[in-house]
Amino acid sequence: MKRGLKTQIPFFFMLLPGVIVLLINNYLPMFGVVIAFQQYRFKDNFITSLLTSKFIGFKNFEFFFKTPNAFTVTRNTILYNLAFIFLDIVIPVAMAIMLNELRNKMGAKLYQSIIFLPYFLSWIVVSYLAYSFFSFENGFINKGILGPLGLEPANWYFEPKYWPFILTFFHLWKYTGYNIVVYLASIVGIDGEYYEAAVIDGASKWQSIRHITIPLLKPVMIILTLLAVGRIFNADFGLFFNVPKNMGTLYPATDVIDTYVFRALRNSNNVGMSAAAGLYQAVLGCITVFSANLIVRKIDPEKALF
Amino acid sequence: MKLNRKLLTRVFAVVLCLVFVLAGCGKETQPTSSETPSSTTPSSTEPSQSATPAAALDPVTLTFYCVGDSQDMSGIEKGVNEYLKDTLNITLEYECFGWGDTYTPKINPMLAAGDPIDIVFTSNWAANFRSNATAGYFTVLNDYIKKYPGVEQVLGSDFLNATQIDGKNYAVPTNKEKAHNWGFLLKKDLVAKYNIDLNSIKSLQDLEPYFDRVLAEEPGMTPLLSVQMDGPWHLLDWNTFSDDDVPGALYPDNRDTKVINQFLAPESVALYKQQREYYKKGYLHPDAATQDNFSAEMSTGKYFAFVAPMKPGKAVEMTQQTGVEWEEIFITPIVMSNREADGAMLAIPVGSKNPERAFMFIEKLYTDAKLKNLMNFGVEGVHYKWSDDKNYIIPIEESGYKTSGGWRFGDNFKDYLTVGEALDKAQQWEKYNASATPLLNLGFVFDATNVASEVAACKDVVQTYYKQLFTGSVDVDPTLARMEADFKAAGVDTLLQEIQTQFDAWLASKK
Amino acid sequence: MSKRKFRLANEISTGSNVVLNIIFVLISIVCLFPILLVIAISFTEEKQILLHGYNIIPREFSIKAYDFVLSAGDAIMRSYGISILVTILGTILSMSVITLYAYPLARSSFRYKNFFSFFVFFTMIFGGGLVPWFMVYSQLVRIRDTIWIMIVPYLINGFYVMIMRTFIKGSVPEALMESAKIDGAGEFRTFFSIVLPLLKPGLATIGLLSCLGYWNDWYLPLVFVTKRELFNIQYTMYQTLSSIQFLTSGSANFAELGKVLSDLPGESARMAIAVISIGPIIFAYGFFQKYFIKGLTIGAVKG
């Protein structure tokens, strides 16, 4: 047993820096999660405040469930995330493979850089651009496209039904370049000998992709999916808050947990309520990802997260 | 890039060093305190004397965080430190952190954690005065106010105590306008063209014939500008108990003390219907519900009328701001409400190590014109210079410094005049304030602790519907029905009941 | 590069190549157009924007927006410096921490790999909340208002660790690592001389993402930093944009709102801000990119 442990020691040294940072940055603050169940009042210093603040059970969670929209925002969050998870795999993988197959490497480099560019624009700036497209009177779509075609202008900011598509488009537009990078790196790492062997065996291009590239990308795809599933109750705040310009008319389709909590707590420094909201998302995310991880474990333990 | 072992070993060594650095000795940057309040107490029998004899005060660092965009803070800090060396003997650390969403999320955790900051700006729209005060993050100032009476002398007890909670002062308001009213701004050239007699306009209806003329005769011009809540809604001038988007208000004419949901009141519903008619007639911009920057819209010069907060010299100010010429008409009666008091205040967080010295500094902002203008406009000769007739100050462009507003702290009326302001500004303001009717709930601060979830839920209901209703962009009845249902589900009745109970108790205690 | 008259085995046909190229050109237009629009707006006269809206070709060319934003001169230079310093330092350190952490997780001979995987992954979902997190850096590890506060919280990140673990498992066969052990090499030796050289694409990926993460961050300065000298460029820019956002949101109601709004940058200046904050990071992308495209690294991969 002692000898066995000795071989493990170098590993512990390697883990040490990361563990220290995690303890300080993540695990130590976790004690503060009790605030979610307290009516936080300041007294002397932080520790005393934690100990003396009144315990109020689940009252801090009420604001979230009291709203007529509790179901809607949760549903929206989950559905958007499911769509994003699915599309964030299919599209970047397809594009990464295509980019890798291009014969003009200079072109591939150029396309990839350009596709990455949208990642650099903040959502606030994107919301200005979106407004110039979708505004009713002078927007580019109404005035520049639908008008000349003789079609009726649409009141974009008043019709929730368009927005799942609009927001999904913007999400893909911004993050595909980012996701492609991860998959491309995996593809580059695939040993060329596999492909050479396949060619010798007479496989077509499509067959090599199906039987070599995709299976070898599976670990990355599964990991990214599991990571995303863990955050299925968290939404990309910048996207959902800024791009729809905080229009109440669109809330049925664009309101997610994060935007709702932000608006509710914006002008009140209620530490307990914000802690409660975060806890709610975290617990649900945990349950979801544990279940997902368990399923993956049963199929192929090597590919699971933990 | 050849990965060689040497480089990586070095990197690894750096990582290990980092670990040790973190574990032990981070740089401590909190201001050190070397003063205890009791050692510097001037005798309390000296009324307006706020400076102790020189060399009796230990040097102390005061941190002051405020809203605004300012540059060259070190220039100001130097000026202030020098000026106060013999009196307060402080080293000032003064920083401005933008507005709203960059200021509040920064200050709030510091307050909740009890950080040793000395002075913070707080209001109903930044660093949430009401909730922070009730949570106990601010020092109670009553004793300091008595000891250093300069603040109360300048503000007047009524105004000073308008922000009291349970008889305790948690912050001191800026001495600025004490009242408000609403009115119209009309585009000057059209007023001339249509020969409008400004005195004949008493309501929005009076403007309707001119709206029609604008539609007929001025292509590309929109008669009425209405952006979010800045529009005809303000003509109703509801006397609110909380934020503008939270139900719970009184009628502005002091007719009774019944707390109502202003968004469902008959007058409001009439307004929604009127706005709907206006929208259909074309008086409002088709994109009115999505517009968000009224200042930019006004600068385009494509609007005829706008409902704006009034004050002496409003038209002149707006003309300067927007580059378009305006005429002003006062419409609603001038009233004194809580909004003026809690629009800009200074508070001392409980974590401060030098609350007394901090208050002495605050008091000086009310009593010492030179300090006030130092903090606001900067150092003379460096950031600004005087005009030839010594009446106005002119900012020096190259210094890169731009004031974010003297209304944020201290006595606003001690500020030097800038070009365009009336020479008798102070007198005009006095007249304005004196003609105001105090509202029934002046001085009552609503504590939302018990109904925090209802407030949040109701806020959300308002946010969902108000833009469309206020700009007439949708049919009123179905939207109104949905809003009513949502309010009920959000618990608005509990909220109104809570406000009424607290308000009645406060009224009873005043008798 | 000499033109080949034949195609290598396993390359796609010329026809397919053309089709793919067309697809990518279209996608590139969709991605590039908004960026060009932002640049165009930043060079447009403000009045023209108010009157006529956005236009891909400026109606009236003007550099006033950049004048305005860069008038803070020294402060901008300084915040650029801070950004660059934090990014370089942070990227190097975080790549070290992350890779070191991921290696044991990828080794089948490490008995506790599942525990430590969970240990880092859990932090991605669960947090103690803003105030406790703030307290730790304010009272315990007092690095607020130093460079380190912008580096430390991002040193290790479950997302990157998991991806790196996958890369290691994928690029380095277990057999290779085992054979090194049989030859007498310790884990560190194996890590440095065998694993790292094969990990170039993975390192480049995490390096790039980490680099971007540090460069783009405005959240840490927002929460922790109060000293102006330590503001990075993203935070400086964000402060302005977010202030405008707040002031036009209807949540701000104070009498001087109009004046404050009119003093803040107009549309063209906001776009100039966006352009400036993208800045040098585009070049970082170019630096890392050469590791993603096959054909340019054929020699390097097999170290």
Side-chain angles (χ1 to χ4, degrees), chain A residues 23-37:
Chain A
L23 283 176
I24 298 177
N25 191 57
N26 298 79
Y27 283 97
L28 213 47
M30 277 194 201
F31 288 107
V33 84
V34 304
I35 295 182
F37 302 100

Side-chain angles (χ1 to χ4, degrees), chain A residues 40 136 246 263 266-267 269, chain B residues 101 112 124 128 132 287 460:
Chain A
Y40 182 79
F136 183 64
N246 202 21
R263 286 198 318 269
R266 191 179 206 173
N267 216 18
N269 188 12
Chain B
D101 282 339
N124 57 36
N128 329 115
N132 283 340
D287 280 317
D460 201 58

Side-chain angles (χ1 to χ4, degrees), chain A residues 13-14 16-18 20-21 24 39-46 49 54 59-69 73 128 131 134-139 142 155 157-158 241 244-252 255 259-273, chain B residues 12 15-16 18-19 22-23 101 104 107-109 111-115 124-128 131-132 134-137 243 279 285-287 289-292 297 302 350-351 447 449-457 459-461 463-465 467-468 471 473-474 485-487 489-491:
Chain A
F13 270 107
M14 292 183 168
L16 190 61
I20 293 183
V21 175
I24 298 177
Q39 193 179 78
Y40 182 79
R41 288 277 179 271
F42 185 78
K43 191 172 162 58
D44 297 334
N45 63 53
F46 187 62
S49 312
K54 191 166 85 172
K59 200 141 190 290
N60 279 330
F61 292 82
E62 270 178 28
F63 84 97
F64 185 76
F65 295 101
K66 266 240 171 84
T67 171
N69 297 319
V73 295
Y128 300 149
Y131 187 63
F134 292 112
S135 98
F136 183 64
E137 174 92 330
N138 289 316
N142 278 353
N155 208 344
Y157 287 98
F158 278 76
F241 184 72
K245 284 185 80 77
N246 202 21
M247 285 297 291
T249 45
L250 301 178
Y251 284 172
D255 210 15
T259 50
Y260 173 72
V261 171
F262 178 77
R263 286 198 318 269
L265 302 179
R266 191 179 206 173
N267 216 18
S268 87
N269 188 12
N270 195 321
V271 183
M273 279 162 78
Chain B
F12 186 66
V15 171
L16 274 185
L18 167 71
V19 167
L22 287 182
D101 282 339
T104 305
I107 297 292
N108 277 347
L111 291 176
D115 251 25
N124 57 36
W125 51 271
N128 329 115
S131 61
N132 283 340
T134 42
Y137 300 147
D243 300 332
Y279 185 86
H285 194 280
D287 280 317
T290 49
Q291 287 173 337
D292 54 17
E297 298 293 341
K302 296 215 270 195
V350 285
D447 179 1
T449 323
N450 294 337
V451 284
S453 19
E454 283 81 358
V455 169
K459 225 184 214 290
D460 201 58
V461 175
Q463 287 288 328
T464 308
Y465 293 107
K467 282 187 204 169
Q468 311 88 287
T471 55
S473 314
V474 290
D486 282 358
F487 268 134

Side-chain angles (χ1 to χ4, degrees), chain B residues 305-324:
Chain B
F306 181 56
V307 176
M310 290 286 123
K311 60 188 213 172
K314 179 75 180 182
V316 173
E317 185 186 87
M318 289 314 270
T319 306
Q320 256 188 351
Q321 239 170 267
T322 58
V324 173

Side-chain angles (χ1 to χ4, degrees), chain A residues 8 25 27-28 46 98 103-104 109 111-113 120 128 132 185-186 188 199 205 231 242 304-305, chain C residues 10 17 20-21 54 109 111 119 121 124 133 135 137 140 165 167 205 245 270 281 285 289 292:
Chain A
Q8 309 281 289
N25 191 57
Y27 283 97
L28 213 47
F46 187 62
M98 291 196 284
R103 279 165 68 174
N104 42 335
K109 235 180 128 180
Y111 297 138
Q112 201 208 342
S113 309
F120 293 108
Y128 300 149
S132 75
S186 308
V188 168
V199 167
K205 169 59 58 180
R231 297 189 59 79
N242 291 306
L305 263 180
Chain C
N10 215 37
N17 199 38
L20 283 186
N21 268 289
Y54 297 160
S109 60
R111 268 181 256 140
F119 191 71
F121 176 69
M124 275 184 71
W133 185 51
M135 283 302 303
Y137 287 112
L140 239 64
R165 183 191 80 170
F167 278 143
T205 307
Q245 194 79 337
R270 286 181 238 166
I281 205 63
Y285 182 75
Q289 193 196 29
F292 312 141

Side-chain angles (χ1 to χ4, degrees), chain B residues 7-22:
Chain B
L7 171 67
L8 282 163
T9 327
R10 262 187 246 136
V11 170
F12 186 66
V14 170
V15 171
L16 274 185
C17 285
L18 167 71
V19 167
F20 287 121
V21 164
L22 287 182

Side-chain angles (χ1 to χ4, degrees), chain B residues 394-416:
Chain B
I394 306 171
I396 297 180
E397 289 268 342
E398 297 75 40
S399 71
Y401 178 76
K402 212 162 176 230
T403 175
S404 293
W407 52 269
R408 294 172 295 157
F409 45 75
D411 184 354
N412 198 18
F413 296 126
K414 292 204 162 63
D415 284 355
Y416 298 147

